[in-house]
Amino acid sequence: MTAVILATVCAVVYGTADFCGGLATRRSRVLSVVALSQVAGLVLILALLPLLPGLFDQRALWWGMGAGVAGAAGLVLFYRALATGTMSVVAPTTAVTSATLPVVFGLVTGERPAPQALIGIVLALAAVMLVSQDPTASRRGSLGSVLIALAAGAGFGGFFILLDLSPDGTGLWPLVGARISSVSLVVLLAVVARRSLRPTAGSLRIIALAGLLDMAANVLFLLAKQEGMLSLVAVLVSLYPASTLLLARYVLGERLHTIQVAGVACALSAVALIAVA
């Protein structure tokens, strides 16, 4: 039950971070938002190290750095897929791939969820697909954009898997490694592309908030996977688009489509089934 609570809260925080990041990209350059939010997350994790101590292990840093590269690559590929495809195709493809890979990895490596939890996993994957849909957008998308979306989802799913592979008892050190590598990668991309990382006036606060919330969600994921199976934790965490949608509805007044409301209902049912398993 502890793992379910932590993973569900993690999904809410991830969704809120994405919402803030989306607002930030309306005001500033995407690469600037990604880089500065990552730096804000690094500051937070360094501040939390003394509060949630763990044994330093070089392997934890290496696994974390691998996770950071996978996550940053997934983010870059996701934006690339959005630039060449359509949201209604790219978003669900990426989301379902990122949710499915950790589930498959967990099952292959010996995790055996209860029957109710397996039903909950199926419902959760359906929920991710439904809440990511935008019926008003064009359904046309090139094969190239779909393949890039699949690669982006693999990057996000790889982030969760690689963090899970870090040694037990190492506390937040995997996240330190993850954030160091992701910041380095994004800054390197900015230098190669000759893009400025200076945010536009008035956008720094929302960028920093997005980065802090994203790192807080990463911490919650680590705590959740220590308490439960990756196949259950990762699929619950992947429900984060539902909270992003609800924030867009009640903060920005955006309209939810019927298919997205059905997705939110599936998400709630999935959480309930996994909780009682």
Side-chain angles (χ1 to χ4, degrees):
M1 179 63 76
T2 301
V4 172
I5 294 172
L6 289 171
T8 304
V9 174
C10 176
V12 173
V13 178
Y14 265 136
T16 307
D18 273 8
F19 177 76
C20 293
L23 292 180
T25 56
R26 296 183 180 183
R27 306 176 187 178
S28 195
R29 304 177 186 88
V30 170
L31 203 55
S32 174
V33 172
V34 174
L36 295 177
S37 64
Q38 296 281 297
V39 171
L42 178 59
V43 172
L44 176 61
I45 199 64
L46 292 176
L48 289 177
L49 270 177
L51 302 178
L52 296 170
L55 296 175
F56 175 79
D57 190 321
Q58 196 173 35
R59 292 173 301 165
L61 281 180
W62 284 115
W63 283 116
M65 291 179 74
V69 170
L75 190 61
V76 172
L77 288 168
F78 181 63
Y79 284 130
R80 176 63 179 167
L82 289 177
T84 58
T86 56
M87 173 66 80
S88 61
V89 175
V90 169
T93 300
T94 301
V96 171
T97 304
S98 67
T100 302
L101 286 182
V103 172
V104 172
F105 178 82
L107 295 176
V108 168
T109 54
E111 293 184 353
R112 293 295 178 264
Q116 301 98 309
L118 289 173
I119 297 173
I121 288 173
V122 173
L123 273 177
L125 293 175
V128 173
M129 173 68 80
L130 293 174
V131 299
S132 301
Q133 296 288 338
D134 182 2
T136 63
S138 169
R139 295 293 301 180
R140 293 180 299 174
S142 67
L143 176 61
S145 65
V146 173
L147 293 176
I148 295 172
L150 287 169
F156 294 142
F159 175 81
F160 293 130
I161 293 172
L162 291 170
L163 281 184
D164 183 66
L165 290 172
S166 60
D168 294 333
T170 52
L172 302 180
W173 285 108
L175 292 179
V176 175
R179 198 41 49 101
I180 289 174
S181 64
S182 62
V183 169
S184 301
L185 180 59
V186 173
V187 171
L188 178 62
L189 287 174
V191 171
V192 171
R194 297 182 179 180
R195 300 290 179 85
S196 172
L197 296 180
R198 179 176 295 178
T200 56
S203 63
L204 186 57
R205 289 185 179 179
I206 191 70
I207 292 173
L209 180 60
L212 294 173
L213 288 172
D214 179 69
M215 181 52 72
N218 289 338
V219 173
L220 287 168
F221 170 77
L222 269 187
L223 296 175
K225 69 104 177 171
Q226 291 171 5
E227 298 290 335
M229 291 181 282
L230 176 66
S231 55
L232 299 182
V233 169
V235 78
L236 288 176
V237 169
S238 297
L239 295 173
Y240 67 87
S243 58
T244 305
L245 274 180
L246 292 175
L247 281 170
R249 169 66 182 88
Y250 291 107
V251 176
L252 301 179
E254 294 184 3
R255 178 173 170 266
L256 292 183
H257 300 285
T258 302
I259 192 170
Q260 293 171 322
V261 174
V264 173
C266 277
L268 294 175
S269 300
V271 173
L273 281 170
I274 293 174
V276 300

